[in-house]
Amino acid sequence: MSSRRVVAIVPAAGSGERLGAGRPKALVPVAGEPMVVRAVDGLLSSGAVDDVVVVAPASHVDAMASVLPARARVVPGGADRVASVALGLAAVDDADVVLVHDAARCLCPGAVAQAVVAAVRDGHGAVIPALPIADTVRRVDPGGRVVGPVDRTGLLAVQTPQGFRPDVLRRAHEAALGSSAAARATDDAGLVEAVGGEVVTVPGDPRAFKITTPLDLAMAEALLGTTAPLAGAVGDP
Ligand code: CTP
Ligand code: MG
């Protein structure tokens, strides 16, 4: 009988340069709880995920393991996100669905993971949550001059958790090894597309936004009902 397990890989091995908190971003607290802890708790409490593999900076494997629930396995990550996910995937042995979910999207509601898992089980090899783009979009040249309009029709902003049949994700990552597609892809669905795989969307959620900058962190804390001082905010000395 084939497995009925959902394993989530949580890439958390980035340094968080744009946040600039002086430690790996996934360990930065959001209203008192490290992002990686919120992300893992969100997945496990969704009821859609059986096991979690967290990919930590090699220097912070023990630090992450010490704050995470025992059910989360922690493995060292790589130089970029693609490498980190590949290392997490190598630690997944038995699953019928694999999710990949950024630690930095730590306020994502469990319903998104549920919808993604359901769509993979419906027979889709690769599933991404996505939302319409609110802003007007322009393509520009390297000097910042507008070179043309972009029709927003049919454009969506992509989030995580992304869900995959394990064989689809493994094939995409194997093909990405040493290829330029890996350098360009900012998510796993991009690697599946690069090998000609079909990717379908389910509705995302605004709360699944990625915490990238100090403003994002302040917005996350505001959503949780706490206020945080915004380092570098206009008006700071
Ligand atoms: N990530 C990872 N391994 C890397 C780089 C990124 O696991 N070598 C993870 C991050 O920890 C994060 C997710 O991929 O959860 C999305 O990346 P991003 O938001 O860019 O995080 P950082 O790379 O940490 O941030 P920055 O780019 O500002 O340094
Ligand atoms: Mg990054």
Side-chain angles (χ1 to χ4, degrees), residues 14-16 18 25 81 210:
S15 57
R18 287 168 290 179
K25 183 164 74 177
R81 188 183 179 282
K210 186 160 70 74

Side-chain angles (χ1 to χ4, degrees), residues 1 3 5 9 12-13 22 32 39 44 64 82 101 106 116-117 127 137 139 144 146 151 158 167 179 208 224 236:
M1 206 183 90
S3 168
R5 272 173 82 243
I9 298 166
L44 290 174
M64 274 195 198
V82 174
H101 183 42
C106 63
V116 169
V117 169
V127 180
V137 176
R139 189 179 305 283
V146 171
D151 183 358
V158 171
D167 59 303
S179 97
L224 292 167
D236 277 2

Side-chain angles (χ1 to χ4, degrees), residues 10-19 25-26 55 77-82 84-85 101-105 210-212:
V10 177
S15 57
E17 237 156 80
R18 287 168 290 179
L19 188 58
K25 183 164 74 177
V55 190
D80 58 28
R81 188 183 179 282
V82 174
S84 291
V85 173
H101 183 42
D102 291 333
R105 297 182 188 270
K210 186 160 70 74
I211 297 176
T212 304

